[in-house]
Amino acid sequence: MDAAARRYVIGFFACVFLALGAVSLLNYQVDPYLLHQWDSPLVQRPRQLNEKLGAWAKTYAVARYRPAIIYIGNSRTELGLPTGVRALFDGKSIFNSAVSGASIGDAIRLAEHAARVSRVETMVWGIDAPTFSLDMGAARVEDSLTGARHGFFAQRALVNLKRGLTLDMTEDSVRILTGNAGDVCRSNLALYGQRDETCTIKGIRHWLGTAEAIPVRLQEFGDGLGPTPSSTPALDASIGKLCRGGLRLRMYINPTHALTLYALHWRGKWDAMQAWQRGLVQVVERHRRQGCDVRLYDFSGFNSITTEATPLVSGKPDMQYYWEVSHYRDNVGRLILARLFGGDTPPPADFGVELTQTNVDAHHAATRAARERYRVEHAREAAYTQRVLDGPLIRR
């Protein structure tokens, strides 16, 4: 290769390198997904309705904020557990690290990451049967986001720079810079990890209302992969790690609407769901005998909160306790926290049962009886659920 050709090749690759570097630097500075922000002006910047890469933003924020109280789970916990309750925890810092689309495998990574990078005193962990799988969920909680025990921020800087080379991030940076980001609301980082209610309201309107969202959520719940056999041993091992750190752990089964539990029954998953609960009770009881401060509560089933009438029969456009049948509002989250930790406003007597070896069988028998009463007393909604689950797949 002659000198002119070498200069051309060197010049070409230098231009490519500079162009890629400029793109990565642009995305790093604009940071459309808030991948490396905490307590900065960008956290307050309006963002797009569909908050992308939530796990990236939250794993970084937890490492910077280092909260004493941490919430773990999927979108149900992210929407439903409020962070503005510091008085309940003696003024200590709270962060909602739940991520939309998280499986139990994702949640385990998020929980162990929080315990590594912060001095967590209390962890509140929402779970449910359909997402109780080790498969990576839509949250995509990759090991590169949570795996570093030392040098976390240096590793994240490299990962973020690499992510800054992607086309989608560049397009979103340009939209922000040109004022074409579309419908916006506040980032969940502005609310210490809790989803902004405005985002949810706008999202429901995109569905054309609560009633239109219900059949999709029922199908999603009924089609969930979990609970899978390998997931409970994985959670067992994770609880052991967390307990060795000395934190207080409160796990709760999400209070999805009664129709979702009826959906599991109609899909033939009821016995598997109750066997899963018994397995969890055994895990929790064993760790408690070993000195761990861990408890398990069930807020699901058929109680005064979960059996709220849906728009299908009430004729109202919205529900008091639910956004649709899968996601509860934070007024329900406050009742959950009141049951777990006390407070001035006690929850309804039938909302939230601590599961133990001595009561789990009686609790399951009572839930089966309540399910049959619900089928009779809410026949229209039960029949609707059956039609939805037996009909063609509805996609978003």
Side-chain angles (χ1 to χ4, degrees):
M1 182 182 297
D2 59 25
R6 282 197 299 272
R7 285 195 300 272
Y8 175 81
V9 171
I10 292 171
F12 173 79
F13 281 106
C15 290
V16 170
F17 178 79
L18 288 172
L20 291 177
V23 168
S24 183
L25 183 60
L26 168 71
N27 289 331
Y28 196 86
Q29 290 297 321
V30 177
D31 199 6
Y33 309 144
L34 304 181
L35 304 188
H36 56 97
Q37 305 297 326
W38 181 250
D39 196 23
S40 69
L42 288 185
V43 168
Q44 303 298 327
R45 182 184 66 199
R47 56 88 173 172
Q48 293 171 293
L49 284 184
N50 294 323
E51 192 158 20
K52 300 177 182 178
L53 304 185
W56 291 60
K58 287 193 171 183
T59 49
Y60 185 90
V62 166
R64 284 294 186 199
Y65 187 39
R66 304 185 71 198
I69 316 300
I70 197 91
Y71 302 158
I72 298 293
N74 54 31
S75 59
R76 293 180 254 284
T77 297
E78 185 179 36
L79 269 71
L81 277 198
T83 53
V85 290
R86 294 184 65 164
L88 189 62
F89 298 103
D90 299 323
K92 294 177 180 177
S93 55
I94 304 173
F95 190 81
N96 188 327
S97 193
V99 177
S100 178
S103 66
I104 192 64
D106 295 323
I108 287 172
R109 294 186 188 94
L110 292 168
E112 294 180 4
H113 167 73
R116 278 195 296 269
V117 300
S118 182
R119 294 189 179 92
V120 179
E121 297 178 13
T122 299
M123 183 174 289
V124 187
W125 194 335
I127 58 176
D128 42 67
T131 61
F132 209 81
S133 166
L134 294 181
D135 289 354
M136 185 178 289
R140 302 200 64 78
V141 185
E142 303 166 13
D143 288 339
S144 62
L145 306 181
T146 62
R149 183 173 294 275
H150 303 290
F152 170 78
F153 295 110
Q155 175 179 301
R156 276 301 299 270
L158 293 174
V159 172
N160 290 346
L161 285 170
K162 181 180 177 182
R163 187 65 177 79
L165 294 172
T166 59
L167 179 61
D168 64 326
M169 192 169 182
T170 305
E171 290 174 341
D172 285 328
S173 290
V174 172
R175 290 190 186 101
I176 289 173
L177 291 174
T178 58
N180 295 310
D183 208 358
V184 295
C185 53
R186 286 185 297 174
S187 165
N188 58 45
L189 297 189
L191 298 172
Y192 297 91
Q194 184 185 1
R195 184 85 62 85
D196 181 9
E197 185 175 284
T198 304
C199 300
T200 307
I201 292 171
K202 290 182 177 180
I204 289 290
R205 288 174 182 167
H206 285 187
W207 285 93
L208 302 179
T210 299
E212 295 299 320
I214 288 175
V216 180
R217 296 306 188 197
L218 285 174
Q219 286 187 337
E220 287 177 350
F221 207 86
D223 292 341
L225 296 175
T228 57
S230 58
S231 299
T232 298
L235 178 64
D236 185 2
S238 185
I239 291 175
K241 294 178 184 178
L242 298 171
C243 288
R244 286 192 289 275
L247 58 73
R248 175 176 60 168
L249 178 59
R250 295 293 180 266
M251 307 193 75
Y252 71 95
I253 300 172
N254 279 305
T256 55
H257 192 273
L259 286 181
T260 61
L261 269 289
Y262 190 78
L264 294 184
H265 164 64
W266 190 252
R267 280 285 168 85
K269 297 182 177 182
W270 187 270
D271 290 344
M273 181 266 293
Q274 294 204 321
W276 164 71
Q277 291 186 4
R278 282 193 294 272
L280 291 177
V281 169
Q282 293 172 2
V283 168
V284 168
E285 291 274 334
R286 185 172 66 256
H287 285 287
R288 287 188 65 185
R289 289 195 298 271
Q290 295 170 356
C292 182
D293 186 0
V294 55
R295 296 178 183 273
L296 171 67
Y297 287 77
D298 184 13
F299 291 92
S300 68
F302 304 85
N303 54 59
S304 56
I305 300 297
T306 62
T307 57
E308 178 185 4
T310 68
L312 303 171
V313 297
S314 70
K316 300 177 181 178
D318 301 310
M319 300 172 70
Q320 178 183 358
Y321 298 125
Y322 290 89
W323 294 108
E324 16 72 7
V325 293
S326 182
H327 297 90
Y328 48 92
R329 296 172 181 261
D330 69 1
N331 56 359
V332 177
R334 291 176 184 274
L335 297 177
I336 291 172
L337 294 174
R339 175 66 71 203
L340 298 181
F341 302 106
D344 296 332
T345 306
D350 66 344
F351 185 62
V353 175
E354 183 178 3
L355 297 183
T356 67
Q357 294 274 28
T358 58
N359 74 355
V360 65
D361 289 336
H363 175 65
H364 284 171
T367 304
R368 288 193 298 271
R371 183 195 70 206
E372 291 308 302
R373 288 195 301 272
Y374 183 83
R375 181 182 62 82
V376 174
E377 296 170 2
H378 299 260
R380 184 178 170 188
E381 289 168 301
Y384 174 82
T385 300
Q386 295 170 196
R387 290 197 302 273
V388 167
L389 297 175
D390 292 343
L393 181 64
I394 300 173
R395 299 190 181 275
R396 294 180 60 172

